[in-house]
Amino acid sequence: MSQDITPHVLVVDDDAAARALVIEYLAANDFRVTPAASGREMFQRFDDSAIDLVLLDMKMPGESGLELAGRLRERGTVPIMFVTGRGEEADRVMGLELGADDYLVKPFSPRELLARARAVLRRYRVQSTLPERDNTRRAFRFAGFELNLRTRRLTAPGGLRIVLSNGEFNLLAALCRAPQRVLSREQLLGMSRLHEAEVYDRTIDVQVRRLRAKIEADPTRPALIVTERGAGYCFACPVETLY
């Protein structure tokens, strides 16, 4: 998979050995994987970055996996796969009723885990192409970057966080909402809500120059924010939207 669409899986399990096995296998198959040993850690990871899929053990200390899944559903529609014991049919049924997308029964093979994870993500991506309200979006991904709309954080390839001003964040979010389309300066002003009182004398051109300095490999030869002479700007790379 290319770097900009690498799925991010959160593995929530209090068993360190079980987490390590899952993480190693998924990472070897082009997934980005983050561990969490408790519900508290799980929600901390959600605050740090956008998650594509949660692999959640049902038998967690403190809050059960079912309770944690219910709290996740209150926050959004991130796909959830439960890991359950063989004799826990009632829990599996309840988990699916709560909105879980799939479940794995222990012991499971790594190949089955991989196949089921990919299937869930495929279904989710199809659903995500349906029209959605803008305020349901969690993040945009492009060229290895991740722009988290809830935390207003930009993460570069490799995990380095890039500090953006309010104007730079709004402009980048506006570009991500209309990828590979030419937008005039007037359109960008409206879409990014860069009002005069907010940005003082910072024109779109100044904001673009500052943003290029932070995300372009060579700001003098921009490959992401491309100038269309006489027309405006085009965000030239594909953008993945996470809901």
Side-chain angles (χ1 to χ4, degrees):
M1 296 181 184
S2 62
Q3 187 180 37
D4 57 318
I5 58 171
T6 300
H8 188 181
V9 179
L10 181 62
V11 178
V12 186
D13 196 325
D14 62 312
D15 185 330
R19 285 199 315 270
L21 287 173
V22 170
I23 290 169
E24 181 180 5
Y25 191 79
L26 290 179
N29 284 275
D30 299 320
F31 282 77
R32 176 185 171 196
V33 192
T34 297
S38 65
R40 182 170 176 271
E41 284 190 21
M42 178 182 75
F43 287 108
Q44 286 176 340
R45 302 296 177 264
F46 265 88
D47 289 338
D48 289 338
S49 59
I51 304 296
D52 297 286
L53 173 65
V54 178
L55 187 65
L56 178 59
D57 186 21
M58 276 196 164
K59 297 300 183 184
M60 294 291 294
E63 288 184 279
S64 70
L66 290 171
E67 291 171 319
L68 292 173
R71 290 177 60 193
L72 279 176
R73 278 290 165 263
E74 292 173 358
R75 294 173 61 127
T77 58
V78 61
I80 301 171
M81 286 179 59
F82 274 123
V83 177
T84 74
R86 187 172 295 278
E88 298 166 350
E89 181 179 353
D91 284 347
R92 294 200 298 272
V93 171
M94 190 176 297
L96 292 173
E97 289 177 347
L98 272 174
D101 298 87
D102 203 351
Y103 63 87
L104 283 164
V105 178
K106 295 179 180 178
F108 54 83
S109 74
R111 290 182 65 184
E112 181 184 8
L113 164 63
L114 182 63
R116 286 179 176 271
R118 285 174 171 168
V120 168
L121 287 168
R122 280 197 300 271
R123 293 197 300 269
Y124 181 71
R125 287 198 174 109
V126 169
Q127 293 167 2
S128 293
T129 63
L130 299 175
E132 293 277 353
R133 291 178 302 174
D134 189 67
N135 62 8
T136 66
R137 292 172 176 167
R138 290 186 293 128
F140 293 114
R141 289 196 185 131
F142 61 93
F145 291 85
E146 180 176 290
L147 184 67
N148 191 311
L149 301 179
R150 294 180 180 175
T151 61
R152 300 178 70 86
R153 291 175 178 168
L154 177 64
T155 305
L160 180 68
R161 285 182 183 167
I162 299 174
V163 177
L164 298 178
S165 69
N166 188 52
E168 291 162 355
F169 171 86
N170 289 342
L171 176 58
L172 182 55
L175 290 167
C176 286
R177 291 184 180 99
Q180 299 174 309
R181 285 172 46 194
V182 177
L183 299 172
S184 70
R185 289 167 176 81
E186 290 75 18
Q187 285 176 309
L188 285 171
L189 278 169
M191 292 170 63
S192 57
R193 298 181 286 277
L194 295 177
H195 305 298
E196 277 188 40
E198 178 185 4
V199 299
Y200 190 49
D201 61 351
R202 299 176 187 173
T203 64
I204 283 291
D205 294 332
V206 172
Q207 292 286 351
V208 165
R209 186 168 66 248
R210 292 176 176 173
L211 195 51
R212 279 173 172 166
K214 295 183 177 182
I215 68 172
E216 296 279 5
D218 181 357
T220 64
R221 296 181 179 180
L224 299 177
I225 308 175
V226 177
T227 302
E228 297 291 340
R229 296 196 179 280
Y233 294 99
C234 176
F235 201 50
C237 62
V239 175
E240 179 187 10
T241 303
L242 300 180
Y243 290 100

